[in-house]
Amino acid sequence: MGFFEDAEHCESIFFPCSDHAIGNLLLMAIYGFILSKGSGWIADGAERLIDVLPGPLVGGLILPVLGAVPDAAMIVVSTMGGSAEEIKEQVTVGVGTLAGSTIMLLTLPLFGTMWLARCDLDHKGEAIDKQCSKFTCKSMTKTGVTVTKDVPLTSLILLGSAICYLIIQVPAFIYANSPGIAGDEHYFALAASIVCFLVLAGYSVFMIFFPKYPKRILNAIRGKRHVLNVLERLSRPLLFQREVIRSGPRPVVSAETAPLLGSTNQDGTDRGRHQPRGLPAAHPADAHRPERLRHLGREWKAKAHAQKTRRDYGVAEEGRAQEADDDDDDEKPQGPLTTKQKVAIWAKALLWLGLGTATVAVFSDPMVDSISTLSHIIDSSGHVGFYISFIITPVASNASELISSLCFAKKKQRKVTSVSFSALLGAATMNNTLCLGIFLFMIFLKNIVWDFSAEVFAIIFVEVVVTVLCLWRTHRLWKGIVFLLMYPAALGLVFFLENVLHWH
């Protein structure tokens, strides 16, 4: 059946469908966008729990588990088809989502992180934070990134979790020629699923009681959310802020706060006698603005000027220790939240979590149907569904991880770059445990034959290579090219094993 030929039928009750390849491509783009929004809402809701739950619990368990919900939903939906023939066609979408998501997380974002976070290397071969001169910034050997000690440990944990694949893959090789292969593999799938959840539990306990890595993630997320909150305050109508300040009591300016807010006379005129050192003077046109807003703007301008000076002249940050990557910065003490504030945070968090989860659950089914229909149009055997889902679904389900890792990398700091590496490796570990455990449990329930040897080999191959490369703490830029090439190499490896060596 050709690419532009029609499918045999199109049946859908609630969602639009198409008999044409172009129509299914359009539907996949629409559903993929909606799924990416849903995954973003789940991530936003999970991040809001940072303020009301223990940090290690959020960073070590809640954030990774909720981040795997979109992939898990796609996997479950792909195994829920009615007849055995439908399940056989759609299960390739599930394994494509699992393999594509895992391999994509370990290749393309790691290259993007290294490219954006690359810095000059000093005489010891370590990256200099926030310094990338124009003469060496594109060099493959003179620039790179340096990560903290927990990145090699996280990569070893990733490789250890890959043993879950072998529990089902080894029996699949042994019973490959057996006439009752589905029954022979039946309880091995259940055993592998149980092992996956046990490894997930052990990994979560380790992350909770090893708080360094979750703390770094939380600090980075808090910094991102702080910026978003400030922008939200600045986006409020200026008239509303002015009325609130006019209606409220005038603040009492003490000797301690005067240098921050500026000296104000009894007549309300601001002479700027106590202008903070290093802050630009207030413009006369800003006199009608609220004092809080004027001070916040001057403070931001001063910080931006200081950062630009350090970036232009390569001056290191003040107070930077020799081994700054070994210890985390202490969090600034904040006052306890009131009950009303906690209720508001919980309400917003649950709202975004519920909305995101519902969106992912509802639109995963039509996404799988569109991929299966397009696969059937291109090739009646249905095997093309794996390659389509390998490329399309990981982008939609892991959009939040991709954006966060690239945003963190732009800071060109060792700790923040380490957060990007660890978050991507941790997300792949969740695929090896949570998503694989759910997939194997559905294989057990539906009595599906495990004929995904080529896909498993590609996943383990990529994870071994990535783990070996991540054992070093300094990564020169040429390693990023290796990460980038691993993505098409894995896809080509699956094609070679299935179509040349006939692995199943």
Side-chain angles (χ1 to χ4, degrees):
M1 189 173 291
F3 183 78
F4 293 98
E5 296 183 18
D6 297 347
E8 295 180 357
H9 56 58
C10 172
E11 296 180 359
S12 180
I13 300 177
F14 300 105
F15 298 98
C17 63
S18 175
D19 293 335
H20 305 276
I22 301 300
N24 281 282
L25 287 174
L26 180 61
L27 289 175
M28 286 165 53
I30 296 173
Y31 294 142
F33 174 77
I34 296 174
L35 288 174
S36 66
K37 297 295 292 184
S39 64
W41 292 335
I42 292 175
D44 187 70
E47 290 174 3
R48 292 178 183 272
L49 297 176
I50 295 174
D51 298 325
V52 292
L53 291 177
L57 179 64
V58 177
L61 179 61
I62 295 179
L63 285 177
V65 170
L66 292 178
V69 167
D71 286 332
M74 292 288 294
I75 291 172
V76 170
V77 169
S78 68
T79 58
M80 295 293 290
S83 63
E85 188 65 25
E86 291 177 350
I87 294 178
K88 184 179 180 180
E89 290 183 2
Q90 293 188 353
V91 75
T92 58
V93 178
V95 72
T97 300
L98 178 61
S101 176
T102 305
I103 294 174
M104 188 270 293
L105 287 169
L106 298 176
T107 53
L108 303 183
L110 286 180
F111 165 74
T113 297
M114 291 190 62
W115 179 261
L116 295 176
R118 69 192 187 279
C119 298
D120 294 336
L121 302 180
D122 59 15
H123 65 281
K124 296 181 180 179
E126 295 186 358
I128 305 173
D129 285 358
K130 297 186 177 181
Q131 179 175 324
C132 191
S133 61
K134 62 180 181 180
F135 300 104
T136 61
C137 202
K138 294 183 180 180
S139 174
M140 294 292 173
T141 57
K142 297 180 180 180
T143 59
V145 298
T146 300
V147 296
T148 55
K149 294 185 295 185
D150 53 345
V151 173
L153 177 61
T154 308
S155 65
L156 291 174
I157 294 175
L158 167 67
L159 185 60
S161 64
I163 194 175
C164 299
Y165 288 98
L166 300 179
I167 300 176
I168 182 64
Q169 188 58 53
V170 172
F173 277 130
I174 296 175
Y175 298 107
N177 298 321
S178 175
I181 183 173
D184 295 331
E185 296 174 349
H186 189 63
Y187 290 103
F188 284 102
L190 178 60
S193 176
I194 294 174
V195 171
C196 286
F197 291 119
L198 291 177
V199 174
L200 172 63
Y203 174 72
S204 302
V205 171
F206 173 77
M207 297 302 291
I208 292 174
F209 290 97
F210 183 75
K212 258 193 174 183
Y213 163 58
K215 185 178 179 182
R216 288 195 177 106
I217 291 183
L218 296 179
N219 288 340
I221 293 176
R222 284 192 179 101
K224 181 182 73 172
R225 296 204 63 81
H226 175 70
V227 173
L228 294 177
N229 291 335
V230 171
L231 293 176
E232 183 181 355
R233 291 201 304 268
L234 292 177
S235 63
R236 295 173 184 173
L238 186 61
L239 179 62
F240 174 76
Q241 292 189 4
R242 191 185 308 169
E243 292 299 329
V244 170
I245 293 180
R246 286 180 179 177
S247 61
R250 294 183 60 84
V252 179
V253 181
S254 62
E256 292 78 4
T257 58
L260 295 177
L261 299 178
S263 177
T264 304
N265 292 339
Q266 294 180 356
D267 57 355
T269 60
D270 186 5
R271 298 180 181 176
R273 184 181 305 172
H274 298 283
Q275 178 70 24
R277 180 177 299 177
L279 296 182
H283 194 274
D286 295 340
H288 67 281
R289 296 182 182 179
E291 187 64 37
R292 287 187 305 147
L293 193 58
R294 293 208 305 270
H295 165 65
L296 184 60
R298 292 196 300 269
E299 184 179 9
W300 273 31
K301 290 179 181 178
K303 289 183 178 180
H305 177 72
Q307 291 178 0
K308 183 178 183 299
T309 302
R310 289 194 295 267
R311 183 175 64 252
D312 292 343
Y313 296 96
V315 180
E317 292 187 5
E318 299 179 1
R320 181 170 178 256
Q322 182 71 19
E323 294 293 335
D325 62 316
D326 292 334
D327 297 311
D328 288 316
D329 296 329
D330 293 334
E331 298 178 7
K332 295 181 180 180
Q334 299 178 352
L337 296 174
T338 63
T339 303
K340 185 177 180 180
Q341 290 174 329
K342 291 182 179 180
V343 171
I345 292 174
W346 271 108
K348 290 182 179 179
L350 294 178
L351 173 64
W352 290 117
L353 287 174
L355 182 62
T357 304
T359 301
V360 169
V362 170
F363 287 93
S364 292
D365 188 21
M367 181 69 168
V368 172
D369 289 339
S370 297
I371 295 175
S372 300
T373 303
L374 179 61
S375 173
H376 190 70
I377 293 175
I378 299 174
D379 182 9
S380 59
S381 64
H383 294 299
V384 184
F386 166 80
Y387 300 97
I388 299 175
S389 58
F390 186 97
I391 298 172
I392 299 298
T393 56
V395 178
S397 59
N398 297 282
S400 58
E401 286 86 353
L402 294 174
I403 296 174
S404 296
S405 62
L406 297 180
C407 290
F408 292 155
K410 289 182 179 180
K411 296 186 177 181
K412 294 182 178 292
Q413 291 179 322
R414 180 175 306 186
K415 290 183 179 180
V416 183
T417 303
S418 302
V419 169
S420 297
F421 269 73
S422 299
L424 294 171
L425 295 172
T429 304
M430 295 304 298
N431 283 357
N432 286 356
T433 54
L434 178 62
C435 294
L436 178 61
I438 294 175
F439 186 51
L440 288 170
F441 186 72
M442 298 303 297
I443 293 287
F444 168 76
L445 287 181
K446 297 292 184 176
N447 202 24
I448 302 173
V449 176
W450 181 269
D451 54 354
F452 312 116
S453 302
E455 294 84 348
V456 170
F457 185 84
I459 293 173
I460 295 179
F461 172 74
V462 171
E463 291 182 351
V464 170
V465 174
V466 170
T467 299
V468 172
L469 293 178
C470 288
L471 292 179
W472 284 268
R473 294 182 58 185
T474 297
H475 306 281
R476 299 181 187 272
L477 189 56
W478 65 265
K479 286 187 180 180
I481 304 299
V482 177
F483 289 135
L484 177 64
L485 295 177
M486 289 295 294
Y487 183 76
L491 197 58
L493 180 62
V494 173
F495 182 84
F496 175 79
L497 294 176
E498 285 188 341
N499 295 277
V500 178
L501 300 184
H502 302 289
W503 279 27
H504 296 287

